[in-house]
Amino acid sequence: MKDEPKIKTARMRSHRDSSDDDSSETDSLLGDCMCDDCLLEEKTPLMQWKKIRTLVHWSPFVQSYKRRYPWVQLAGHQGNFECAEDGDILKKHCPREQEALQALMNDVLRPYIPKYKGEAEKNGEKYIQMQDLLLDFENPCVMDCKLGTRTYIEEELKKAREKPKLRKDMYQKMIEIDPDEPTEEERAQEAIIKPRYMQWRENVSSSASLGFRIEGIKKADGTSSRNFKTTKDRQEIQEHFTSFADADRKTAEKYVSTLKAIRATLESSTFFALHEVIGSSLLFIHDKSGKTGIWIIDFGKTIPLPDSLTNDHRTPWVEGNHEDGYLFGVDNLINIWTSVCESLPSNDSSSSSSV
Ligand code: I3P
């Protein structure tokens, strides 16, 4: 078929292989394709149909492009995804992300990373092919938390100094949240430079103070929100986590234990010690069956450190040290999810009646 992606590099086994069907290794992105090819695919299982139908109602994130190809995406750049064969997803090619994913396939972090399936081409465009993480869940609840105290790379800062590029779109996004924020000069230009916007975003959200921020939440009842730009307060975040977990203590406990496992793995990862990890997210997914998982996604701004440097990911950033605050964010996530657990009644009714 002319539209089928051609995988250029050797492909790993499909995650639909029964021997390889491990939900703890599912992928990253929130994509489900409604393209004609997928809908007409004879082997499309009923469950997949149901999921597609449900996700189509996730209206704020549905985007239509090309021949009515609605995709669902919780966070990140719109229009970056396409469908692929075997229920995989295609993400617009980014050399940095591809390099990171390739390296991560040989790192201890691999179980928490979307499976990288190689490079693909569709309609003349180059893509990275990855597993669709949602495939193993039935009507999933999904939350994207962007990690780190800093969301722009040092290179962007240097470029902005050398050749400032004014962004009218970012000015507009800023005044929508806080009309008083722009300086007189910015107001006259009706534009701002990107690092200024990114730093302001970090400060109005919890990125700067807690090392992570909520980017988007989709719940099982079909409701969804990306309205977290000014969500900064610890208590408010705890309430969002509680609601996301449907006030279910078991779900919250599973998230705490997975977060602790991810932290331990990050601390022992060679890849992580040798990279600045900016703009990467943790994707939380669970469904009614009790299945939960957290995956590390988005590596477009993950960069190898200069030769003599390693990052501890907790030391505060000063220009030149490349620190990103990633583990500081994971520490705070664990802390807040632990508070969620402590605030909820135990699911085990026998323990309350055993006195
Ligand atoms: C966007 C967000 C993205 C960033 C994008 C921003 O702001 O910070 O992470 O993309 O920059 O517009 P918001 O969430 O407030 O909409 P990158 O991380 O890839 O830089 P862009 O508009 O230059 O893509």
Side-chain angles (χ1 to χ4, degrees):
M1 271 189 293
K2 69 174 166 29
D3 280 359
E4 260 185 15
K6 295 172 212 106
I7 310 305
K8 284 182 175 168
T9 56
R11 289 194 58 209
M12 294 163 69
R13 277 178 305 157
S14 157
H15 65 302
R16 278 186 178 170
D17 271 352
S18 53
S19 55
D20 202 12
D21 188 16
D22 178 354
S23 63
S24 69
E25 285 193 29
T26 340
D27 155 322
S28 92
L29 298 159
L30 302 180
D32 263 285
C33 186
M34 287 273 298
C35 78
D36 296 349
D37 290 350
C38 287
L39 292 176
L40 294 173
E41 166 64 59
E42 272 177 19
K43 281 171 261 168
T44 303
L46 187 63
M47 293 240 298
Q48 185 67 4
W49 274 101
K50 280 188 189 160
K51 193 169 70 173
I52 288 168
R53 221 179 36 213
T54 310
L55 289 176
V56 168
H57 295 296
W58 189 5
S59 51
F61 309 129
V62 172
Q63 44 177 319
S64 287
Y65 63 104
K66 296 192 179 159
R67 291 179 302 134
R68 289 171 57 230
Y69 283 23
W71 280 74
V72 180
Q73 196 185 331
L74 192 60
H77 295 103
Q78 302 296 298
N80 256 4
F81 299 97
E82 274 278 359
C83 66
E85 54 188 17
D86 294 334
D88 289 337
I89 51 161
L90 301 178
K91 184 175 184 183
K92 277 246 170 82
H93 187 263
C94 162
R96 256 193 209 129
E97 179 150 45
Q98 184 179 23
E99 263 166 46
L101 284 167
Q102 268 167 334
L104 283 161
M105 291 301 99
N106 297 311
D107 188 83
V108 289
L109 281 169
R110 182 181 163 139
Y112 302 105
I113 307 294
K115 274 191 195 164
Y116 170 69
K117 308 279 193 87
E119 216 174 274
E121 210 178 285
K122 188 169 182 175
N123 303 329
E125 288 242 36
K126 217 163 130 184
Y127 290 91
I128 294 170
Q129 182 156 347
M130 295 184 274
Q131 266 180 301
D132 175 359
L133 281 180
L134 299 185
L135 207 61
D136 292 329
F137 290 86
E138 177 72 10
N139 196 17
C141 302
V142 190
M143 175 169 72
D144 180 309
C145 288
K146 187 176 276 194
L147 266 292
T149 46
R150 180 163 56 93
T151 54
Y152 54 90
I153 53 179
E154 293 200 4
E155 213 177 282
E156 284 180 288
L157 206 56
K158 278 194 204 117
K159 270 192 198 153
R161 257 191 229 120
E162 286 158 15
K163 214 176 166 192
K165 194 177 159 207
L166 289 172
R167 298 275 302 256
K168 285 195 180 290
D169 60 326
M170 288 185 160
Y171 176 83
Q172 285 305 325
K173 286 200 282 186
M174 178 186 267
I175 59 171
E176 265 168 39
I177 302 287
D178 185 356
D180 298 329
E181 177 61 25
T183 61
E184 287 218 344
E185 192 188 354
E186 288 165 346
R187 222 179 289 277
Q189 293 165 333
E190 292 188 348
I192 52 176
I193 57 166
K194 184 166 173 177
R196 156 86 167 116
Y197 177 77
M198 301 295 263
Q199 284 169 351
W200 168 78
R201 276 283 272 126
E202 289 156 14
N203 284 299
V204 292
S205 69
S206 55
S207 290
S209 54
L210 295 171
F212 76 89
R213 70 179 180 229
I214 303 174
E215 286 279 306
I217 292 180
K218 180 257 170 192
K219 303 219 308 235
D221 62 7
T223 58
S224 57
S225 176
R226 293 186 70 176
N227 189 20
F228 301 102
K229 283 195 175 170
T230 55
T231 302
K232 183 173 184 169
D233 176 67
R234 198 185 180 287
Q235 187 58 36
E236 195 190 341
I237 293 169
Q238 185 176 325
E239 281 158 23
H240 286 305
F241 286 178
T242 306
S243 151
F244 169 65
D246 220 5
D248 179 62
R249 185 172 173 140
K250 275 217 170 86
T251 303
E253 282 170 351
K254 283 185 195 168
Y255 279 139
V256 170
S257 98
T258 309
L259 280 168
K260 285 183 177 169
I262 287 178
R263 178 169 65 185
T265 314
L266 286 167
E267 284 170 336
S268 67
S269 159
T270 312
F271 178 93
F272 194 58
L274 299 177
H275 284 77
E276 175 180 357
V277 184
I278 302 294
S280 167
S281 287
L282 288 183
L283 201 63
F284 295 69
I285 312 177
H286 66 268
D287 66 17
K288 244 192 170 155
S289 74
K291 192 186 281 184
T292 64
I294 306 176
W295 288 271
I296 308 171
I297 63 166
D298 293 341
F299 301 100
K301 297 204 278 188
T302 292
I303 302 170
L305 292 170
D307 272 351
S308 53
L309 280 187
T310 57
N311 266 359
D312 67 23
H313 303 275
R314 285 190 178 96
T315 299
W317 176 68
V318 287
E319 198 173 343
N321 77 357
H322 296 271
E323 285 290 354
D324 49 39
Y326 200 103
L327 279 175
F328 172 66
V330 176
D331 291 340
N332 281 313
L333 275 169
I334 293 173
N335 203 288
I336 298 173
W337 270 108
T338 303
S339 301
V340 172
C341 293
E342 288 165 358
S343 72
L344 293 171
S346 164
N347 303 47
D348 182 5
S349 51
S350 60
S351 62
S352 54
S353 59
S354 62
V355 183

